[in-house]
């Protein structure tokens, strides 16, 4: 397979003098050349989007929803190719890459049935007030590398159904599938409505500054999110920030361990822990701690072994890029240097490495009871290493769970739903999952509180961040 990739501007494919190639996380070999958009490409895309917006913004919701169905069809027809590209650029297995594609199809179809509606907000004998939702203009979508397609596509679909134009900027670590997807969708939407530009932080920064862009929807780290917000303030752009998480998972004494253990393992190690809402700190009631830990180690060793072949039906792959590989290795080193109890993973590292000894592979690593102020507990690891802590007092575990620097997701496992809900309602997180690991639902609002985000996306509430609410006041 030797695919080609292009920026898509005004429905035309554009190469570039400057290209870069992503490093295959499984083999460390260079993948394919990918054009880097120039400043002129960016200006052309903004101009095309602004032009397109004048007519696109006047289409009806029903017209736009019909086009979302067509986009879903194109994704469906090209699902195999897109999944293969995704698997190569992220290091995911084929099976996990397919989740990214199938989820994107489902997003298109969901929003082809669900959109914002006008609403009567007040009515009496003299006045009727109808709230309607008008598009913002041009959305700049700045995306991360962990689920390249689905996390970009949600911004595309939300922009389109609300009547906005959208310019996508994928992460330079994973540009290929997103660029191919935009290329494949040409001809469905009017030129300029959906465009893609490949570039890094400099292009992202330009997007946040340009007066021709009305909103930035950003997903990435908290540090970059703060830069994005400061930059957007200069032109008073609307901004949505989906940022880092450090999810606490609380396992109560009465949890059904036959179900909880595999679920916690998935929460921590699915996609090698590179999930914004992965379970990142596990708090287990002290009365079941030893049993839970022994079962978790067994489960992880059985179900999350390194498998070099991406066709193997594995949900565990390498870390997706060298930058993150070094971050996670640094955390493992910190645990070693401080003498923390590494009960699984790192010790087996040598034998677990694939025969080629190439690639950003790290075995799933479990650390028992590192201190609360260790890097592993305090900071987001975003990789395959998980601290297992213990608790005995409900107030205490809630206090420890509610870190000042994170509030994305959390999970609670208990046979007593009243207890689980009581704890869940005390957790400072945008979403809390009960007796299941954290899995966003694209029909439900998703956003982080505190340092994990600003606003949110998905569901009808998420669509509101892609629209102005305009009130029509009718005199009777
Ligand atoms: P990142 O912040 O390094 O990069 C994200 C995007 O921002 C990239 O496209 C990058 O090129 C761009 N960028 C970098 N500097 C910029 C700047 N100054 N101005 C504008 N754009 C700039 O994040 P990442 O490493 O790609 O993603 C991983 C992080 O994303 C993790 O912390 C993870 O938890 C988080 N994440 C959050 C969610 C969520 O929904 N809350 C979902 C997925 C990932």
């Amino acid at each position: 397979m030797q695919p080609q990739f292009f920026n898509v501007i005004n429905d035309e494919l554009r190469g570039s003098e400057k290209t870069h190639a992503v490093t295959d996380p499984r083999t460390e070999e260079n993948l394919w050349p990918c054009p880097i958009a120039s400043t002129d490409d960016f200006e052309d895309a903004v101009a095309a989007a602004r032009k397109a917006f004048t007519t696109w913004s006047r289409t009806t919701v029903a017209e736009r929803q019909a086009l979302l169905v067509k986009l879903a069809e194109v994704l469906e027809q090209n699902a195999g190719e897109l999944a293969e590209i995704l698997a190569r650029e992220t290091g995911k297995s084929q099976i996990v890459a397919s989740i990214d594609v199938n989820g994107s199809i489902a997003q298109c179809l969901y929003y082809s049935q669900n959109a914002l509606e006008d609403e009567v907000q007040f009515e009496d004998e003299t006045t009727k007030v109808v709230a309607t939702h008008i598009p913002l203009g041009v959305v700049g979508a700045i995306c991360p590398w962990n689920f390249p397609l689905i996390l970009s596509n949600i911004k595309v679909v939300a922009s389109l159904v609300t009547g906005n134009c959208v310019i996508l900027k994928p992460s330079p670590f994973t540009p290929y599938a997103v660029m191919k997807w935009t290329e494949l969708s040409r001809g469905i939407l009017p030129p300029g409505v959906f465009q893609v530009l490949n570039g890094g932080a400099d292009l992202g920064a330009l997007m946040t500054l340009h007066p021709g862009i009305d909103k930035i929807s950003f997903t990435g780290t908290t540090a970059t999110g703060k830069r994005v917000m400061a930059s957007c303030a200069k032109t008073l752009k609307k901004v949505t920030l989906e940022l880092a998480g450090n999810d606490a998972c609380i396992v109560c004494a009465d949890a059904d361990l036959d179900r909880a253990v595999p679920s916690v393992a998935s929460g921590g190690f699915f996609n090698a822990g590179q999930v914004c809402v992965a379970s990142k700190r596990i708090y287990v009631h002290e009365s079941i701690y030893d049993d839970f830990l022994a079962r978790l180690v067994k489960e992880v060793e059985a179900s999350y072994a390194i498998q070099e072949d991406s066709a193997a039906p594995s949900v565990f792959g390498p870390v997706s890029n060298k930058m993150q590989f070094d971050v996670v290795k640094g955390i493992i080193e910190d645990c070693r240097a401080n003498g923390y109890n590494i009960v699984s993973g790192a010790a087996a590292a040598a034998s677990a490495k694939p025969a080629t000894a190439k690639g950003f592979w790290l075995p799933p690593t479990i650390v028992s009871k590192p201190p609360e102020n260790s890097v592993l507990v305090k900071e987001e690891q975003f990789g395959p290493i998980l601290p297992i802590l213990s608790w005995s007092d409900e107030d205490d575990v809630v206090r420890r769970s509610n870190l000042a620097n994170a509030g994305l997701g959390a999970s609670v496992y208990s046979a007593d739903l009243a207890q689980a809900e009581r704890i869940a309602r005390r957790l400072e997180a945008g979403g809390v999952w009960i007796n299941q690991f954290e899995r966003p639902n694209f029909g439900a609002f998703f956003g982080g509180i505190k340092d994990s985000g600003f606003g949110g996306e998905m569901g009808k509430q998420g669509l509101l961040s892609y629209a102005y609410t305009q009130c029509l006041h009718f005199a009777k």
Side-chain angles (χ1 to χ4, degrees):
M1 184 176 67
Q2 193 53 261
Q4 285 191 297
F5 299 91
F6 303 94
N7 296 303
V8 180
I9 300 167
N10 207 25
D11 246 18
E12 285 163 12
L13 302 183
R14 236 190 243 190
S16 174
E17 279 176 11
K18 275 200 195 164
T19 62
H20 75 108
V22 172
T23 306
D24 183 329
R26 283 179 183 253
T27 63
E28 291 182 57
E29 278 161 16
N30 270 356
L31 290 170
W32 318 285
C34 194
I36 300 173
S38 66
T39 312
D40 284 349
D41 293 332
F42 172 56
E43 289 293 346
D44 289 349
V46 174
R50 294 235 68 89
K51 183 159 177 269
F53 182 67
T54 55
T55 44
W56 175 248
S57 58
R58 296 206 300 273
T59 53
T60 64
V61 172
E63 285 167 336
R64 300 194 292 262
Q65 287 185 316
L67 296 176
L68 291 187
V69 176
K70 293 202 166 158
L71 289 178
E73 285 165 8
V74 171
L75 278 169
E76 183 102 55
Q77 285 152 10
N78 297 281
E81 184 192 0
L82 289 169
E84 201 171 332
I85 294 171
L86 273 168
R88 295 294 301 279
E89 64 185 330
T90 59
K92 292 173 204 282
S93 62
Q94 308 277 346
I95 205 166
V96 181
S98 295
I99 295 173
D100 215 353
V101 183
N102 293 335
S104 301
I105 296 170
Q107 285 171 338
C108 292
L109 294 177
Y110 181 84
Y111 292 95
S112 75
Q113 299 291 319
N114 295 276
L116 295 173
E117 287 141 19
D118 288 2
E119 178 201 350
V120 177
Q121 290 199 332
F122 179 85
E123 186 162 20
D124 66 9
E125 303 75 39
T126 61
T127 309
K128 181 176 175 181
V129 185
V130 177
T132 190
H133 305 286
I134 56 177
L136 301 171
V138 178
V139 174
I142 303 180
C143 307
W145 47 261
N146 60 326
F147 283 89
L149 200 60
I150 205 166
L151 294 175
S152 302
N153 192 61
I154 188 66
K155 298 181 192 306
V156 172
V157 172
S159 299
L160 297 182
V161 78
T162 45
N164 297 285
C165 297
V166 57
I167 300 173
L168 259 184
K169 190 199 87 59
S171 164
F173 287 121
T174 54
Y176 300 117
V178 169
M179 295 180 85
K180 188 53 74 184
W181 159 221
T182 316
E183 176 187 334
L184 291 165
S185 74
R186 286 180 313 145
I188 293 178
L189 301 154
V193 170
F194 173 22
Q195 307 178 92
V196 70
L197 299 173
N198 175 42
D202 46 352
L203 177 61
L206 280 182
M207 291 170 82
T208 61
L209 284 169
H210 200 292
I213 292 187
D214 302 280
K215 176 199 166 101
I216 293 289
S217 174
F218 171 84
T219 302
T221 57
T222 301
T224 312
K226 287 180 182 174
R227 272 180 230 126
V228 166
M229 191 164 175
S231 185
C232 285
K234 298 197 176 79
T235 47
L236 214 62
K237 282 189 202 349
K238 312 307 158 224
V239 55
T240 301
L241 305 175
E242 299 278 17
L243 306 178
N246 193 356
D247 293 16
C249 159
I250 299 176
V251 184
C252 297
D254 63 354
D256 173 356
L257 294 193
D258 287 342
R259 290 177 60 192
V261 168
S263 183
V264 171
S266 294
F269 291 113
F270 174 73
N271 202 39
Q274 301 164 110
V275 182
C276 56
V277 280
S279 303
K280 291 175 181 143
R281 297 172 288 146
I282 315 298
Y283 292 92
V284 183
H285 194 272
E286 66 178 6
S287 63
I288 55 162
Y289 185 90
D290 291 342
D291 185 22
F292 180 93
L293 185 64
R295 289 185 188 218
L296 184 71
V297 169
K298 207 166 153 209
E299 168 69 18
V300 169
E301 285 176 352
S303 305
Y304 296 85
I306 286 177
Q307 299 196 38
E308 203 175 352
D309 180 3
S310 71
S314 169
V315 294
F316 186 80
V319 175
S320 274
N321 54 66
K322 177 80 166 60
M323 178 207 68
Q324 193 60 28
F325 181 65
D326 288 341
V327 169
V328 182
K329 269 202 321 192
I331 295 174
I332 294 174
E333 278 316 311
D334 183 75
C335 291
R336 275 213 188 97
N338 284 293
Y340 302 155
N341 185 11
I342 302 174
V343 291
S344 167
S351 60
K353 269 214 147 209
T356 56
K358 283 278 187 189
F360 306 135
W361 295 96
L362 288 170
T365 299
I366 293 173
V367 184
S368 173
K369 298 187 182 173
E372 211 72 26
N373 66 355
S374 58
V375 177
L376 175 59
V377 178
K378 274 192 326 194
E379 305 294 335
E380 181 191 45
Q381 65 274 53
F382 213 59
I385 176 165
L386 201 54
I388 315 296
L389 305 139
S390 76
W391 66 279
S392 56
D393 175 72
E394 190 174 308
D395 288 342
D396 180 56
V397 77
V398 167
R399 183 186 57 74
R400 288 157 67 200
S401 297
N402 288 336
L403 284 183
N405 66 345
L408 191 57
S411 53
V412 183
Y413 292 85
S414 171
D416 176 354
L417 281 187
Q419 170 180 237
E421 187 173 342
R422 182 178 69 234
I423 293 173
R425 286 179 184 275
R426 296 179 67 193
L427 294 177
E428 295 165 4
V432 186
W433 281 256
I434 293 168
N435 289 328
Q436 56 181 319
F437 68 92
E438 299 90 332
R439 251 175 308 192
N441 177 319
F442 48 73
F445 184 67
F446 181 83
I449 62 177
K450 298 196 287 189
D451 279 6
S452 289
F454 188 82
E457 300 189 310
M458 304 210 268
K460 285 199 183 174
Q461 188 179 334
L463 293 184
L464 284 172
S465 70
Y466 286 82
Y468 292 115
T469 298
Q470 178 189 59
C471 280
L472 305 171
H473 299 251
F474 295 92
K476 282 191 173 166

